[in-house]
Amino acid sequence: MANEINNFQEIISHCKEYGYIFQSSELYDGLSAVYDYGQMGAQLKKNLRDEWWKSMTQLHDNIVGIDAAIFMHPTVWKASGHVDNFSDPMIDNKDSNKRYRVDHLIEAHAETLEKTSAEALITEMDRLLASDDLAGLKTLIESNKIKCSISKTCNWTDVRQFNLMFSTQIGSVAEEADTIYLRPETAQGIFVNFLNVQKTGRMKIPFGIAQTGKAFRNEIVARQFIFRMREFEQMEMQFFVRPGTQMEWYNFWKETRKKWHESIGIPSEKLRYHDHVKLAHYADAALDIEFEFPFGWKELEGIHSRTDFDLTQHAKYSKKKIQYFDNDLNSEGKPYGNYTPFVVETSVGLDRLFLTVISLAYAEEKWNKEDGTEDSRVVMKIPAKIAPIKLAILPLLKKDGLPEIATELMNECKQHFHCFYEEKDAIGKRYRRMDAIGTPFCVTIDHQTKEDNTVTIRYRDTMTQERIPMSEIKNLVQKACW
Ligand code: ATP
């Protein structure tokens, strides 16, 4: 198919036009970096979440799922390090009042320089960031005469750390002790429930705990649509292993997660690994699975070997013993006894996965018809397995008993998968609308159906049509969505 393009702005408009994603509170001019999923988007998101949940819990005997609350005891975030360390260095321009993440400001400037100077600037920035030298970062910005993109001046405030956690008050009295946070990740809900789940589920190491849910980060530089949001959803799994075996499991999850992305239709060449060079203090290995978004290669999922850091921290702050009694192995094959398990984490953003799927699916196609004239369409080639609507049922005319037959088929199929019924407009127009929504199959009921019980099925991706018995439709769609 000629002339396929993939334009990010057009994807964003398309998502709005067809009920996938709306700006939050659009009626009041919107809330920055917060989005609502519409009737199509909510279903696609649910299908992705369900696929992940199934692959993690149902298909792994040793992984169970939980649903921990968003609000947690404030000490959780002290223990995890988020109160003290979950921050980005920021700087404000005094003339425009625009706030920048220091690393983004310097990196953008580096892009305007020739290679050697750019590398020297980034190396110096990394050194200052690693040593938390905020004054040094300000000097670096000033000595390189880095300007604000709005005011075009170098009139900067001091650099300061800006914590990304949202806080709120619990209870009626607004005292410091009542401050709690909206969780910036779901992982801590898993760590604090490690013993509960291990004991009640009689889980034996190695085992995992999975969870999906909302997370909140007061991102300063929030752009690129749903790539970086202030309220988003994570799908995380913490895998608890024997100390010393973490690299084996890290490699296992690295492979397994990439294969999973491929299983939902992301081509292998659009995915790559990016090993972290600078590791967080608690990690002994970390990598991102990156996807080639319309704006470049970016993190889709993180795989982290977190050692025993989290459980040890929670044991320390809660003054409780958080250990596992391993009655396997020995003599001299080791364990046999108590230890703090090591953790390998897989963490993928559901919204980023959604963006991945739609940016791959969106296509504008043009072609020449047999009579030489040009035709075109916008189509969302979402894999059938995750498409919000699987089948459109379209009576050719709104009379002659055709709607009745269509309704019968609808009633049969909707028990098994999402269907869409439409009887208005010319059939070609209805097909185009279904292409734009991403419905993989359309079925048309016409006068011949009344005679021989056959229907026309039209395939979204190829636009080919064939006549088949109506009784085969349900199985055909179910098979394609399996
Ligand atoms: P980034 O470097 O892009 O800010 P991160 O390294 O902070 O991401 P993690 O803390 O590892 O991200 O979170 C795990 C996953 O959660 C990420 O791989 C991403 O898919 C998702 N995620 C993180 N922050 C956001 C956000 N603000 N909006 C949407 N998804 C996010």
Side-chain angles (χ1 to χ4, degrees):
M1 196 69 61
N3 205 9
E4 292 196 11
I5 63 162
N6 201 348
N7 181 302
F8 192 41
Q9 283 314 317
E10 280 160 18
I11 294 173
I12 297 173
S13 318
H14 190 83
C15 278
K16 181 175 173 196
E17 193 177 341
Y18 288 94
Y20 274 88
I21 298 173
F22 309 122
Q23 174 83 57
S24 160
S25 325
E26 195 192 319
L27 199 57
Y28 294 95
D29 295 334
L31 185 63
S32 155
V34 187
Y35 291 90
D36 296 340
Y37 287 83
Q39 65 278 16
M40 290 299 149
Q43 187 61 47
L44 173 56
K45 200 174 163 201
K46 180 178 184 309
N47 293 349
L48 289 169
R49 191 191 297 111
D50 288 350
E51 278 297 316
W52 183 89
W53 186 261
K54 179 179 169 195
S55 83
M56 280 298 179
T57 64
Q58 190 176 325
L59 300 180
H60 285 107
D61 308 343
N62 57 353
I63 301 181
V64 289
I66 64 164
D67 183 13
I70 288 173
F71 291 150
M72 300 182 78
H73 192 285
T75 311
V76 167
W77 306 110
K78 246 341 237 182
S80 69
H82 284 82
V83 171
D84 296 325
N85 299 321
F86 194 54
S87 52
D88 284 331
M90 313 293 306
I91 195 164
D92 293 7
N93 182 271
K94 289 187 196 161
D95 298 320
S96 67
N97 286 330
K98 187 171 162 57
R99 180 166 294 166
Y100 292 87
R101 245 175 80 170
V102 165
D103 54 335
H104 288 181
L105 182 69
I106 297 174
E107 276 165 8
H109 180 71
E111 276 172 24
T112 66
L113 304 176
E114 49 86 21
K115 196 161 172 265
T116 339
S117 316
E119 280 172 3
L121 180 60
I122 298 294
T123 311
E124 180 60 1
M125 176 188 80
D126 283 347
R127 190 184 69 75
L128 295 167
L129 283 172
S131 56
D132 260 339
D133 185 348
L134 302 187
L137 285 163
K138 183 179 180 186
T139 310
L140 187 69
I141 290 169
E142 286 173 340
S143 61
N144 278 273
K145 300 195 173 55
I146 301 180
K147 294 194 177 88
C148 165
S149 61
I150 295 175
S151 67
K152 313 283 181 215
T153 68
C154 292
N155 194 7
W156 297 108
T157 61
D158 286 342
V159 175
R160 61 195 182 88
Q161 291 288 359
F162 185 92
N163 196 293
L164 299 182
M165 281 199 293
F166 284 98
S167 62
T168 185
Q169 308 297 127
I170 200 160
S172 54
V173 191
E175 288 165 2
E176 166 114 37
D178 295 332
T179 298
I180 58 165
Y181 299 100
L182 297 188
R183 65 180 178 203
E185 61 175 30
T186 56
Q188 298 305 322
I190 294 179
F191 293 128
V192 299
N193 277 301
F194 166 76
L195 282 182
N196 285 338
V197 174
Q198 191 272 316
K199 294 220 157 83
T200 58
R202 299 157 56 85
M203 306 302 292
K204 287 190 71 155
I205 271 180
F207 74 91
I209 305 179
Q211 159 156 250
T212 70
K214 286 282 175 98
F216 304 83
R217 296 183 187 179
N218 201 359
E219 302 278 7
I220 300 305
V221 187
R223 46 186 146 85
Q224 290 163 328
F225 196 34
I226 56 169
F227 180 80
R228 193 176 300 287
M229 302 156 89
R230 298 205 164 103
E231 173 180 342
F232 58 102
E233 194 167 334
Q234 289 187 314
M235 305 194 288
E236 297 197 300
M237 194 277 299
Q238 311 294 327
F239 201 69
F240 300 93
V241 304
R242 279 197 184 120
T245 63
Q246 67 271 23
M247 284 320 290
E248 191 186 305
W249 287 109
Y250 174 76
N251 287 323
F252 172 84
W253 285 110
K254 168 180 167 178
E255 301 284 325
T256 306
R257 292 302 304 147
K258 183 160 175 284
K259 278 199 199 115
W260 181 79
H261 289 292
E262 289 164 19
S263 80
I264 58 161
I266 306 173
S268 166
E269 65 275 13
K270 286 274 190 180
L271 295 166
R272 72 178 187 195
Y273 295 121
H274 169 75
D275 289 315
H276 288 201
V277 185
K278 249 190 345 213
L279 292 175
H281 62 280
Y282 53 81
D284 63 0
L287 63 88
D288 299 333
I289 298 178
E290 293 187 337
F291 171 72
E292 192 177 13
F293 287 96
F295 40 85
W297 287 97
K298 300 268 179 210
E299 170 176 350
L300 167 61
E301 170 154 8
I303 314 283
H304 309 125
S305 175
R306 301 179 66 115
T307 67
D308 58 356
F309 174 78
D310 304 273
L311 293 184
T312 306
Q313 283 293 99
H314 286 304
K316 186 170 137 200
Y317 278 79
S318 66
K319 302 194 178 58
K320 309 242 164 65
K321 190 173 156 196
I322 307 182
Q323 288 208 317
Y324 174 78
F325 182 77
D326 199 332
N327 52 14
D328 271 353
L329 296 192
N330 254 356
S331 73
E332 293 319 300
K334 284 205 189 124
Y336 197 67
N338 282 312
Y339 56 79
T340 306
F342 272 41
V343 172
V344 175
E345 166 185 81
T346 73
S347 175
V348 58
L350 177 50
D351 312 272
R352 279 195 198 173
L353 184 62
F354 188 109
L355 184 57
T356 300
V357 168
I358 52 171
S359 48
L360 275 172
Y362 181 88
E364 292 178 12
E365 297 179 342
K366 283 194 177 70
W367 65 94
N368 286 326
K369 291 194 291 193
E370 269 166 24
D371 65 6
T373 57
E374 201 174 71
D375 207 347
S376 69
R377 68 168 180 167
V378 174
V379 55
M380 294 266 265
K381 292 180 173 172
I382 304 172
K385 178 152 116 170
I386 49 174
I389 293 170
K390 315 293 187 199
L391 176 69
I393 298 175
L394 317 169
L396 188 64
L397 299 173
K398 213 171 146 183
K399 55 181 187 180
D400 301 338
L402 303 185
E404 285 75 7
I405 302 174
T407 307
E408 222 174 274
L409 180 64
M410 179 83 185
N411 287 339
E412 183 198 354
C413 290
K414 75 179 181 193
Q415 305 292 333
H416 304 276
F417 43 80
H418 266 263
C419 304
F420 188 86
Y421 179 88
E422 194 166 49
E423 49 186 29
K424 267 216 317 265
D425 292 332
I427 196 72
K429 218 169 167 185
R430 282 184 268 171
Y431 284 157
R432 286 292 188 277
R433 238 180 349 246
M434 287 301 118
D435 285 346
I437 287 170
T439 306
F441 306 101
C442 289
V443 149
T444 304
I445 283 104
D446 57 18
H447 292 93
Q448 198 184 323
T449 313
K450 293 211 303 191
E451 284 155 29
D452 62 7
N453 278 320
T454 62
V455 292
T456 304
I457 183 158
R458 176 195 183 261
Y459 302 95
R460 176 197 64 198
D461 294 352
T462 55
M463 293 190 283
T464 50
Q465 305 185 11
E466 59 178 331
R467 206 139 189 123
I468 63 169
M470 191 163 82
S471 57
E472 285 178 16
I473 293 290
K474 182 177 75 86
N475 282 347
L476 184 147
V477 176
Q478 269 185 318
K479 219 166 134 200
C481 298
W482 187 245

